Every structure is written in C-alpha cells, then in structure tokens.
Amino acid sequence: MEKRAIFSHRLLPYALLVPQLVITLVFFYWPASQAVWQSFLLQDAFGLSTSFIWFDNYRELFSQPDYYRTIGTTLVFSGSVAILSLSIALLLATQADKQLKGAGVYRTLLIWPYAVAPAVAGVLWAFMFQPSLGIVARGLRDYLGIDWNPLLDGNQAMILVVLAATWKQISYNFLFFLAGLQAIPRSVTEAAAIDGARPLRRFWTITFPLLSPTTFFLIVVNIVYAFFDTLGLIDTMTGGGPAKATETLVYKVYADGRLGGDLGGSAAQSVMLMIIVIALTAIQFRYVEKKVTY
Amino acid sequence: MAEVTLKDVRKIYPGGVEAVKGITFDVPDGHFCVLVGPSGCGKSTLLRMIAGVETISSGEIRIGERVVNDIEPSERDIAMVFQNYALYPHMRVYDNMAYGLRNRKMDKAEIDRRVRDAARILEIEPLLDRKPRALSGGQRQRVAMGRAIVRSPKAFLFDEPLSNLDAKLRVSMRVEIRKLQKTFGTTSVYVTHDQLEAMTLADMLVVMNAGRVEQIGAPLAVYEKPATTFVATFIGAPAMNLLTMSGAEPALLLGNGSIPSEGAIIGIRPEDLALAPPGAPADGGIALPLTVVAVERVGPESFVYGTLDRGDSIIVRLPGTHAPAPGERAVAVASRAKLHVFSADGGRRL
C-alpha cells in the first residue's frame, strides 16, 4: 500500500524539503554547473582574460596520452581496491557471523578504520611505510629482504595506496556483508547442511547467491569510493607520484586545476567524472531493482 | 530405513541452561514418532540434535547402527522439513529438490527421474520451474516435502511443519504426511505442540515437558492411561478435569482403601462426565453437585463450564446441543472406572 502523510498546512511539505534542496543546490548543482561552464572556457596564464572555446578543452584532453594513462591507473587502482576490500570484508563477515566469543568487540574494532579521516589515514600509512623511518618499511627490508621504496618505485607506491584505501573501506563493506549474512535465515543454511552440502559448497551455492544484492550494491559503492573518495589518501601518501604512477582521474583533476592552474582542462575532466558517476548510479538503480534479486 | 535411538541425551547451553535433561527412547524402523509438548519443552532442540544442527552435550544418538554424535548433518543421511520450509529462495523448485542429490554427485538422469517422481507424487509438477516466492504456503510445504523424499533418507525429521498453514490446509496436509510416510515406510520424528496433530499422526507418542519425557506410548494408550497430571491435561481437549483431594476424601469417593493418606489428585475427562438433575444418586459411580457458569455450543457437542460445590471448576462435554442454562444446578456423574488417580504432586499415576 502507498504511504501517505497528511500535512496540516499546504506549505509545510515544501518547507520540510527546503533544507535538503538547498544543500543539494549549493553543494552539487551550483559547482556542477560551474564546472560545465568552466570546461568551455580558456584562461591566460595570469587569469586576466577568459575566452569561450567550446569543446577545445575536451579535444585537448582526449589527445593527451597522459589522460589515457590516468584512466588505466584509475582502473587498476579501483579494481584492486574493490576486489581486495570486498573479499577481505566478506571473509571477515563470514567469520563474525559465526557464534564466536568476543564477537561484539571484534565487530566494533573492525568498524573503527571507517571513522579515520582519509588524510589522517594517508599520513599514518605513509609514515609506517616511509622507506627510511617507517616501522613496516624497515621490517620489509630487514626481515623479508624487499627493496622497499615507494617513493621511487611506482608499483610499490600503487600497492601502498591500494592497501591503505582497502583498509579504510573494509569496515564499510564488512558492516553491509554482516547485515546481509544475518538476513539469511539460519534454517536455509541448515537445510543445505542436511542436504549434504559441506561448508565451502554451502557458501558458494547458498550464502553467496543470497548475498548477491548486497555484493552488487557494494561493488558500485566501492568503485565510486575508489574513484572519488581516495583523493585525500593519495594526496597525503604519494601526491600522485612517483612519476604519476598513482595519479587517478580525480587526483588529476585536482593536480591539473589547483596545482597546474589549468582550470578549463580540469573542469572538462570533472565533467567526464560526473558522467561516470551518473552512469554508475543509473546502473545501480536499474540492476538493484531488477536483475539482482532472487 | 533405520531405527533412531536416543540414550540419555542432554543439551546444556553455554551459561548452564539445561534444555534437554537426559532423554532415552527408541523409534523402531518405519515408525512415526511424534514429540509433543508445550513451547520451550526442548522438543525442537532434541529434533535439531538428531539432525545434527545442534551439538549434543552428552548421551548418544544412533541412526541405524551408527552413532551420529560427531557426524556432520550432511553425512547423517536424514531429511528435515522446517517450520518456515527453508526453501532456497534463489533456486527453482526443481533445483531445490535436486540440490541434495547433486551434492551427492548423483547421475543427472537419475536426479531427473527422482525429482519428477517426487513431483508427481506431491502433485507439484506444474511448479517445477517456479521460484519459491511465487508459491503459496501449501505449495511451499509440498516442495519442502519433495526435497525430503527425493533423497530416500534413513529418517524424516519434521519441525512443526504445519504450523504456518491455515486450519483447513493443515488438516489435509496432516493426512497427506501420514499417507506419504506409510507409502515410503521411512522412520520419522515429528515435532509439534498441537496435541491433535500428535494424536492423529503418531505410531508412538513422546510427551515432553521441561526437558524431560513425561510419557511414551501409543497415542490411545497415552490418552487412556496418562502417566502424570501434565500428560493428562496436555493430551485431550478440553483438558482433563483435575480435583485435588486431601486426607480420606479420595478413598471415600472411590471406595478404595489403597489411596495414600496425604491425598491424591483425581482426574476426570470432560467426555467421561454426564449431567444429572440435582440430587441424583451416585449410582455406584461418583456424583459432584455443581452450578453451571457458562455453556459453549459448538454444534455436535456442548461444553458446560461449572463450579463444584467443593470449589473446583469443571468442564463437562455433552453430545448435541441440549445443555442446562447458566445458573442452573446439576450433578456431574461418572463411573468409577473412568477416573484417573494421581499422586498428590501429580507426578505419578496410582
């Protein structure tokens, strides 16, 4: 049945909507429209003159090999973060779902990393893995004999930001997976056990398919997270380096616009990112409601 | 096919709550055993221990020759029907039924043959391609039954399988379950809190209360000779009338010298009582003068609620609709042979 609320005054519902609408307008539509406008403009180096150049910023963007490299970097980064954080969170959630002693403490501790601000987390990780000072970096070098230097080695820098970004996201995924697991009726898994399925088979044939709505939702959320929310992390840890090895799309927007002063080009990149988010959200809505149900 | 044997089975939860307190019984091969008792009496826990989804704190459970205490549920070769059916929501009915067979790496053609056979017996052939959410409660119940029978397990376990169905469907499924069990001759253990279901289904009735067995026996034997006042009031509806008597009163009433002097509880089933006009003689039986409080006429029979002059309330079941009106005086009479006598604490039949 449709839910209906009765308001005492005709204007009240609008008044109640205003705060949310104002926030959306001020913090989303206004900057977004400015970005779109900006992406059609070109400014001289001193910001004294601005000219309207239609799609030249986009043409310029797509002619840079750098941009394609950044897309590649972003895909590697986001893919790794999503896969790692989802699989680790799922493993932890299945363990936490069992009746363990101290499960409450375990769950609470797992949620903490999510509360750490990205920049703070970035500084912590960068410090731990700093080649000459970092405690983990020293362990890697002294005990495992790894020539660890993410300041020079692009692959190592990438591994580092992937790990840090994963660590931060596990909490969130863990919460959703745990809730998803607890929503599966115990009798269904018991029935599968009685039906002769051993634990591992039970997981892949019963639990995992029943979790698929949660998993799909989390995949989209994680990709969006890795695309956008990791800016602070990357900035404090590697600054996109070395040699742009950890420069993702969103970091390039920041680097080209704020640091490089190319506002038009940077705006064109933001618009591209906006299109990606809109596409992801559309997919999410479409599939969550249709395909991924059982 | 196998017998199910329980020997001093206990369940103690962490924290010390003892849900099942040493239960011993033996379900002979092919028999239909019903565990009945009020909620919280440990019957479901006991069933889940037989299934292997609940650990056994002490004692021994055997299915056939094998002690199954430390055997995984998947290896016990039993099938269970759950109260909420526990169908796999992401699988079609066909796959729900085939799942257990596939887990046993059975040949595809054999799986198909078995699933279709079971579907035919249960009349769910048109539903094979549907997902559980597209089925009604009764259809889900049939699929759950189908999932159990395709495997031809050593034993069927039922955990209140009918309690989610409406009253009419419950009766027809009850008959059907009984029929299926007879057809397959598979040893079954069935848990219910409904004494009518218990009476109609069981070859062997196990009445449980507070983690203990109160009585084991054939349904009619339990009805005719309840071992304790708990069983007496639990089996049969409306419940047996119990009159607590002290001193010489019971001996006087029964004309029998063997009643202990500390008193006894006398039980009389409502259906064993009749009403006579006030002042009617005992006539070799017992006569209890009463005042009628209320009358329920349900069609084929009427229930008369009264208060005895000695203070107890009593229910009398009369055939038909002819009954005295509230406020009228009457005498409840019964023959002595129909009386049940229990020890004063209700724990023993005398």
Side-chain angles (χ1 to χ4, degrees), chain A residues 1 8 30 118 143 182 281:
Chain A
M1 225 181 63
S8 55
W30 187 15
Y143 298 106
Q182 287 176 344
T281 316

Side-chain angles (χ1 to χ4, degrees), chain B residues 16 24 33 54-55 122 159 178-179 187 235 255 319:
Chain B
T24 303
C33 166
E54 197 85 60
T55 56
L122 290 162
D159 189 5
R178 179 69 189 162
K179 211 170 66 192
T187 315
I235 301 294

Side-chain angles (χ1 to χ4, degrees), chain A residues 185-199 201-202 205-207 209-210 293-294, chain B residues 48 51 53 73-75 78-80 82 84 86-91 99-100 103-104 133 147 151:
Chain A
R186 203 156 281 270
S187 60
V188 171
T189 37
E190 284 172 357
I194 291 169
D195 254 349
R198 283 166 220 272
R201 182 166 163 78
R202 219 143 67 208
T205 55
I206 305 292
T207 312
L210 292 184
T293 51
Y294 44 77
Chain B
R48 291 167 57 78
V53 290
S74 52
E75 308 296 318
I78 40 128
M80 183 151 163
F82 290 82
N84 63 359
L87 299 179
Y88 312 125
H90 58 301
M91 296 183 192
Y99 185 73
N103 287 337
R104 284 179 171 72
R133 76 188 135 100
R147 195 167 65 178
R151 297 224 329 263

Side-chain angles (χ1 to χ4, degrees), chain B residues 83-104:
Chain B
Q83 179 173 2
N84 63 359
Y85 322 127
L87 299 179
Y88 312 125
H90 58 301
M91 296 183 192
R92 295 177 306 146
V93 167
Y94 184 97
D95 301 311
N96 259 283
M97 289 164 72
Y99 185 73
L101 304 176
R102 288 186 184 137
N103 287 337
R104 284 179 171 72

Side-chain angles (χ1 to χ4, degrees), chain A residues 24-130:
Chain A
T24 316
L25 280 174
V26 171
F27 292 99
F28 183 73
Y29 283 102
W30 187 15
S33 56
Q34 281 215 314
V36 174
W37 175 241
Q38 188 79 254
S39 72
F40 296 127
L41 302 179
L42 179 67
Q43 287 178 313
D44 71 297
F46 301 101
L48 297 175
S49 65
T50 303
S51 45
F52 189 81
I53 56 164
W54 280 110
F55 289 97
D56 278 4
N57 280 326
Y58 292 92
R59 242 168 253 137
E60 167 71 14
L61 185 64
F62 285 107
S63 66
Q64 288 174 22
D66 240 24
Y67 191 60
Y68 296 100
R69 204 186 67 157
T70 309
I71 292 176
T73 309
T74 310
L75 290 180
V76 170
F77 175 74
S78 317
S80 317
V81 170
I83 291 168
L84 267 180
S85 62
L86 283 170
S87 37
I88 295 172
L90 182 54
L91 182 70
L92 292 172
T94 48
Q95 299 310 308
D97 191 38
K98 294 178 183 164
Q99 309 287 324
L100 293 178
K101 268 188 186 159
V105 178
Y106 177 75
R107 277 174 216 167
T108 311
L109 289 180
L110 269 170
I111 292 158
W112 279 4
Y114 193 63
V116 180
V120 174
V123 170
L124 282 174
W125 278 76
F127 193 60
M128 284 194 297
F129 284 87
Q130 209 278 342

Side-chain angles (χ1 to χ4, degrees), chain B residues 4 14 43 144 152 173 196 232 238 275 323 333-334:
Chain B
V4 175
K43 58 190 191 299
S152 345
M173 276 311 282
L196 188 63
L275 286 183
V333 294

